[in-house]
Amino acid sequence: MFDIENILDIGNRAEFEQKALQLFHFQAEHCTPYREYLRLAGFGPDFVRSIRRLDDIPYMPICIFKLREVYCGDNPPETVFTSSATTGMTPSRHPVARLEDYRKSFTAAFRIFYGDPSQYALFALLPSYLERKGSSLVMMADSLISQCGAGGFYLDDYEALLADMAACGKPTILLGVTYALLELAERYSPDLHESIIMETGGMKGRREELPKNELHRRLCEAFGAERIHSEYGMAELSSQAYSLGGGIFRTPPWMRVTVRDVNDPFDILPSGSRGGVNIIDLANLHSCAFIQTEDMGRTFPDGSFTIEGRIDRSEIRGCNLLVQ
């Protein structure tokens, strides 16, 4: 097996495919929940050993992170990230073998899209994440703030946030959960046209969900911004995709996004199609790198993608095979 440096050094599609296939064969054997899912879905050991193309790899439903310990590390995990969950819902648990691997992954992805963190000040408006334990997003933001050397976390003190951003002598990034950015926009309408505004998605049950184009329109008008950036990540992933505007996301070289037929999860659809989002995240070395998410989206020939809502009844779809 390779380590995180081998993954982050991927430079072209051929290298990605080679390492993805190697990791698939390893995880299909050593990650017990993934192995069991493949068997119960009808993909026996002979079929798994025969897979030689990325499009033939079966993806594991993300909800299995709620049911089993998805882990194949040699030693106990250093931490377990958990997802946010609304009342009555079960959070996902993602065991992480080495926190340093996670730091290297999200730092490398940030550098690809934004450059050296030290040139920025990062201000994080993440109340729903700060109010619970086990958030991978909080850990990522905390590390990036340290690398920036300026910025900080703000729970709900919007006036202090705006004062500190105005006094900062560096280019600023405001990373915020969607509902908090909307509250800031509606209460203060601050002029942040020189800042990068980055939303990380979701109302977390606090407000009614808005279509992305309407959300971004409101934020642009309130902040005087030309465009809104977005970060796409989740507790079950070790990497993030970013949109620099327009809701078009791009991945670092060790990730790949495809879409599937929502009625046939093993049917990968061509570019331009709308379907359930599948993600390969090769930085998930010690869990499962091949995930069926519960998001709907669309991919494009250059590898970029959009997120267009959630799959209906996504909470129960795909996990019944491993419910005992």
Side-chain angles (χ1 to χ4, degrees), residues 173-187:
I173 298 174
L174 175 58
L175 171 65
V177 64
T178 301
Y179 76 84
L181 289 176
L182 274 174
E183 288 180 2
L184 177 68
E186 291 167 357
R187 290 173 58 180

Side-chain angles (χ1 to χ4, degrees), residues 65 70 79-82 92-96 235-238 284 287:
F65 282 90
V70 182
T79 194
V80 177
F81 290 134
T82 58
S92 292
R93 292 171 49 84
H94 184 192
V96 175
E236 301 88 348
L237 298 177
S238 299
N284 272 14
S287 55

Side-chain angles (χ1 to χ4, degrees), residues 31-242:
C31 180
T32 301
Y34 189 29
R35 183 178 69 242
E36 290 181 359
Y37 170 74
L38 292 172
R39 177 179 60 82
L40 292 170
F43 302 106
D46 290 342
F47 175 84
V48 168
R49 284 192 290 268
S50 73
I51 288 178
R52 294 292 181 269
R53 299 189 319 133
L54 287 190
D55 286 348
D56 295 333
I57 291 176
Y59 292 71
M60 187 186 78
I62 197 169
C63 49
I64 292 175
F65 282 90
K66 300 179 180 181
L67 302 173
R68 300 290 182 86
E69 184 176 80
V70 182
Y71 189 65
C72 52
D74 294 331
N75 300 304
E78 287 189 2
T79 194
V80 177
F81 290 134
T82 58
S83 66
S84 55
T86 54
T87 303
M89 304 283 271
T90 302
S92 292
R93 292 171 49 84
H94 184 192
V96 175
R98 290 185 290 269
L99 273 173
E100 185 58 26
D101 287 358
Y102 180 58
R103 291 189 186 95
K104 289 178 179 178
S105 176
F106 68 66
T107 300
F110 184 91
R111 285 176 174 272
I112 287 171
F113 294 100
Y114 294 99
D116 189 339
S118 66
Q119 67 184 302
Y120 298 101
L122 178 66
F123 295 84
L125 189 57
L126 306 170
S128 57
Y129 294 91
L130 288 171
E131 293 162 353
R132 66 177 181 84
K133 295 181 179 180
S135 169
S136 58
L137 179 60
V138 168
M139 191 270 181
M140 180 184 81
D142 185 56
S143 177
L144 289 175
I145 289 168
S146 295
Q147 294 179 60
C148 290
F153 287 98
Y154 296 79
L155 188 60
D156 53 14
D157 192 346
Y158 297 146
E159 292 184 3
L161 166 69
L162 295 174
D164 290 347
M165 289 184 68
C168 183
K170 301 173 71 174
T172 56
I173 298 174
L174 175 58
L175 171 65
V177 64
T178 301
Y179 76 84
L181 289 176
L182 274 174
E183 288 180 2
L184 177 68
E186 291 167 357
R187 290 173 58 180
Y188 294 92
S189 295
D191 181 2
L192 300 177
H193 74 278
E194 293 185 346
S195 298
I196 294 173
I197 312 299
M198 185 186 300
E199 56 95 5
T200 189
M203 296 297 188
K204 309 303 177 188
R206 307 290 182 99
R207 299 178 60 143
E208 181 181 355
E209 293 285 346
L210 291 173
K212 280 290 186 185
N213 57 352
E214 173 62 14
L215 166 67
H216 287 193
R217 183 189 67 78
R218 293 189 189 184
L219 294 179
C220 282
E221 288 182 357
F223 297 145
E226 291 186 7
R227 61 185 183 273
I228 303 299
H229 295 224
S230 303
E231 181 264 350
Y232 180 75
M234 55 190 70
E236 301 88 348
L237 298 177
S238 299
S239 307
Q240 301 76 33
Y242 288 96

